[in-house]
């Protein structure tokens, strides 16, 4: 997105981790992403930490505090439990299932459709995904 800014409107990134030490590429985020035109970065860590002066709290809670405008598409990745609560938070904010994409990559094993371990109904996460729109998930059996 940074390389093709003219293709996107405002980009809002909400990124959280357990601690500041767990934020991957924090220096790049602070020096590049946070300074990019029309890019808003919201960082949070789960628990207070010495030396951290940013937001403290869980991503799903912070999402609701920020209250993003619903005139955009939401992309969600992370641990399954966080994804579950973020999806619910986005729905509370008024995002439709067609506006939200998420990943099911943790279901994959072989990654090429041979083992069948990622199969959900007629879909293979490794071949048909791993990213799906939430309304597509609604059409799958409830095993995901």
């Amino acid at each position: 997105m940074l390389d093709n800014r003219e293709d996107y409107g405002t980009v809002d990134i909400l990124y959280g981790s357990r601690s500041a030490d767990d934020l991957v590429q924090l220096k790049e985020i602070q020096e590049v992403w946070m300074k990019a035109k029309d890019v808003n970065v919201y960082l949070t860590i789960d628990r207070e930490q010495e030396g951290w002066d940013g937001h403290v709290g869980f991503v799903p809670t912070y999402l609701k505090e920020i209250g993003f405008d619903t005139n955009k598409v939401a992309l969600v990745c992370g641990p399954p439990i966080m994804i579950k609560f973020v999806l619910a938070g986005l729905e509370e904010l008024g995002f439709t299932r067609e506006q939200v994409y998420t990943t099911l990559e943790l279901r994959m094993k072989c990654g090429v459709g041979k083992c069948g371990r990622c199969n959900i109904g007629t879909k293979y996460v490794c071949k048909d995904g791993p990213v799906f729109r939430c309304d597509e998930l609604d059409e799958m059996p409830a095993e995901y």
Side-chain angles (χ1 to χ4, degrees):
M1 286 187 278
L2 286 180
D3 291 340
N4 298 290
R5 287 300 307 131
E6 66 280 356
D7 294 342
Y8 302 95
T10 301
V11 175
D12 293 307
I13 300 170
L14 172 52
Y15 177 35
S17 68
R18 291 183 183 185
S19 71
D21 301 326
D22 296 325
L23 290 165
V24 178
Q25 298 292 329
L26 180 58
K27 185 175 179 181
E28 178 184 341
I29 291 167
Q30 292 171 324
E31 294 177 3
V32 178
W33 286 87
M34 291 177 128
K35 294 178 181 175
K37 183 180 186 304
D38 296 324
V39 175
N40 303 309
V41 179
Y42 304 88
L43 300 176
T44 188
I45 60 173
D46 292 354
R47 293 172 196 81
E48 290 188 29
Q49 178 179 339
E50 189 174 321
W52 177 259
D53 62 354
H55 187 272
V56 175
F58 296 115
V59 169
T61 306
Y62 195 23
L63 170 77
K64 291 188 253 183
E65 288 175 25
I66 296 167
F68 290 114
D69 189 356
T70 60
N71 68 345
K72 55 187 74 192
V73 172
L75 310 172
V76 183
C77 64
I81 192 68
M82 187 212 68
I83 290 174
K84 176 183 177 178
F85 288 106
V86 167
L87 295 179
L90 289 167
E91 194 170 328
E92 279 182 46
L93 290 174
F95 282 83
T96 66
R97 308 282 287 167
E98 294 81 13
Q99 289 175 275
V100 181
Y101 291 77
T102 191
T103 180
L104 299 178
E105 66 192 28
L106 289 178
R107 291 189 58 100
M108 293 192 309
K109 299 295 180 204
C110 74
V112 293
K114 297 295 181 193
C115 74
R117 307 241 359 240
C118 68
N119 174 261
I120 305 172
T122 62
K123 300 283 186 188
Y124 283 84
V125 172
C126 66
K127 292 174 77 177
D128 299 313
V131 176
F132 296 91
R133 243 184 15 238
C134 284
D135 63 317
E136 294 174 305
L137 297 178
D138 294 339
E139 296 171 6
M140 294 182 188
E143 52 192 79
Y144 72 88

